[in-house]
Amino acid sequence: MIHPIPHRRTGRGGFTAIELIIVAVIIGLMAAASMPRISRIVGEERIRKLQSSVASDLELAFALAQREHKPITVTYSTSTKVMSVTDRVSGTVLKTRYLGQSAELSTTAVTFSPSAGITIFPMGLATAALTVTVTNGNFTRTVTATRAGQVSKS
């Protein structure tokens, strides 16, 4: 009678501790190498998002002036870092946008030209062209509104 020979496992059943440590070190090095680029991309996207929000607020101001048949004032306070859209007749603040540094935003500088702001009249014309520039370190985005209400981002 022939007895079957028991099968022995010739391959390994798992990973050694050294192999796991080597894989963890490689993953850590890859993550550390990509962190500066990821943080730069996040900063750029935050500024782009803020730029889009400012452009949207300016478009809203021109639309409100025409729709409500009232002059609308757009101003920026350097002390509070707030851009305001205000009904010039009643003084009612219709919209505010914080442009300073916060958890969501990472602005390092904001310029608002003309510094006194603009008034948009019901016929759709503003007292001056407006340029808002937001900066985060080396990354700068600009929003420009013409006197006629054309808002562009660059």
Side-chain angles (χ1 to χ4, degrees):
M1 176 173 210
I2 301 178
H3 295 292
I5 300 174
H7 293 283
R8 290 188 183 189
R9 292 178 64 182
T10 57
R12 298 187 315 207
F15 298 105
T16 65
I18 297 293
E19 292 171 328
L20 292 175
I21 290 172
I22 290 172
V23 169
V25 167
I26 291 171
I27 291 173
L29 290 173
M30 290 172 60
S34 65
M35 284 308 290
R37 182 172 181 185
I38 290 172
S39 64
R40 182 180 53 82
I41 290 170
V42 168
E44 289 174 3
E45 286 305 312
R46 286 179 176 171
I47 291 297
R48 280 191 187 103
K49 181 180 175 185
L50 181 61
Q51 176 195 31
S52 293
S53 297
V54 169
S56 176
D57 291 348
L58 292 175
E59 289 170 349
L60 173 72
F62 277 93
L64 284 172
Q66 291 178 333
R67 188 176 64 215
E68 301 295 326
H69 303 291
K70 295 180 183 178
I72 301 293
T73 304
V74 179
T75 56
Y76 175 69
S77 169
T78 55
S79 60
T80 61
K81 300 189 184 310
V82 172
M83 183 178 83
S84 300
V85 176
T86 308
D87 180 341
R88 190 178 88 172
V89 175
S90 67
T92 305
V93 176
L94 305 170
K95 177 88 175 167
T96 60
R97 171 85 51 201
Y98 179 70
L99 301 179
Q101 195 164 15
S102 69
E104 303 94 36
L105 307 174
S106 56
T107 56
T108 55
V110 175
T111 58
F112 204 82
S113 177
S115 59
I118 61 169
T119 299
I120 304 163
F121 296 104
M123 63 198 149
L125 289 178
T127 54
L130 177 68
T131 302
V132 180
T133 305
V134 289
T135 303
N136 174 14
N138 295 331
F139 192 68
T140 300
R141 301 303 274 175
T142 302
V143 178
T144 305
T146 65
R147 286 195 62 215
Q150 181 180 3
V151 178
S152 61
K153 300 182 287 186
S154 60

